[in-house]
Amino acid sequence: LHRAGVQVLGTSPDMIDAAEDRSKFSSKMDAAGVPQPAWRELSDSASAFAFADQVGYPVLVRPSYVLSGAAMAVAYNAEQLGKMLAAAVDVSPEHPVVLSKFVEGAREVELDAVARGGKVIAAAVHEHVENAGVHSGDATLMLPRQTLSNYTLARVREAGRVLAEVLNI
C-alpha cells in the first residue's frame, strides 16, 4: 500500500523495513552512535567464516524478517556456523543474514515504548531471566527490572530515545 501511494498511519513502512532488515538497522545504530557488538552482513560463507575468525567465536547468526527469533542462533565453532548459515538462508533467502560477535554471559534487556514524531512518550524496561542466547523467541521477562543498575537503565532509555528519533517512530 505504501509503495502505491496510500497514506499509512503510524510509523512509516520504510522505517519498519529499516528496523527489520538487520543490516540496515545495525548501520543506523552505528551512525547514531548506539553501541553494539561487532557485526557484518553476510555476503558469502567464506566471508562469514573470516569474520568469525577475526572477532572470535561465539558469533550470533541473525536473519532479517523472521518472527520469534527463527533461525537466530549462537555458533561456538566453524562447524556450527556452517549449519546455522544454511538454516538462516532457508528461513529468509531474499534478505541478508548478519553475523555479530556474541557476548557470553550478557543479560538481555528490552525496552517497550510508545513514541510520537520520534519522541518517546511512554516506556517500560524489562530484563530477561535467562542470559542472552538461551532462548529464541520464548523469553521469560521481569517487570519491573530486578538486577539492572540505574546506570544501565539510563543507557537503555537513551538508546530507546535515539532509536525512536532515528526511525521516526
Side-chain angles (χ1 to χ4, degrees):
L1 290 172
H2 175 69
R3 286 188 203 118
V6 174
Q7 181 182 3
V8 176
L9 300 177
T11 302
S12 162
D14 291 332
M15 291 296 102
I16 294 170
D17 175 67
E20 291 293 333
D21 182 299
R22 300 288 183 180
S23 182
K24 289 178 185 177
F25 181 79
S26 289
S27 293
K28 283 190 172 294
M29 295 305 94
D30 283 345
V34 176
Q36 58 183 330
W39 67 277
R40 184 110 354 108
E41 182 179 33
L42 171 69
S43 57
D44 58 69
S45 293
S47 60
F49 289 114
F51 174 76
D53 287 339
Q54 175 192 350
V55 298
Y57 287 93
V59 293
L60 180 64
V61 180
R62 302 184 318 167
S64 297
Y65 292 97
V66 296
L67 297 175
S68 300
M72 185 183 295
V74 179
Y76 289 89
N77 56 50
E79 181 181 347
Q80 289 178 348
L81 178 57
K83 290 176 183 175
M84 291 171 190
L85 290 174
V89 171
D90 286 346
V91 170
S92 184
E94 69 276 7
H95 298 291
V97 175
V98 169
L99 260 59
S100 300
K101 172 65 180 157
F102 181 72
V103 180
E104 292 186 277
R107 177 67 62 138
E108 284 192 58
V109 179
E110 294 186 24
L111 173 85
D112 286 325
V114 176
R116 183 173 188 177
K119 304 290 182 206
V120 174
I121 57 175
V125 176
H126 37 99
E127 64 183 303
H128 290 218
V129 171
E130 307 90 351
N131 282 342
V134 172
H135 62 86
S136 181
D138 60 353
T140 305
L141 305 173
M142 297 182 284
L143 181 65
R145 64 184 168 66
Q146 300 297 306
T147 67
L148 300 179
S149 68
N150 287 334
Y151 172 77
T152 300
L153 181 62
R155 300 238 4 231
V156 169
R157 287 186 172 148
E158 176 60 13
R161 184 196 67 74
V162 170
L163 203 90
E165 186 177 307
V166 167
L167 296 173
N168 195 28
I169 304 294

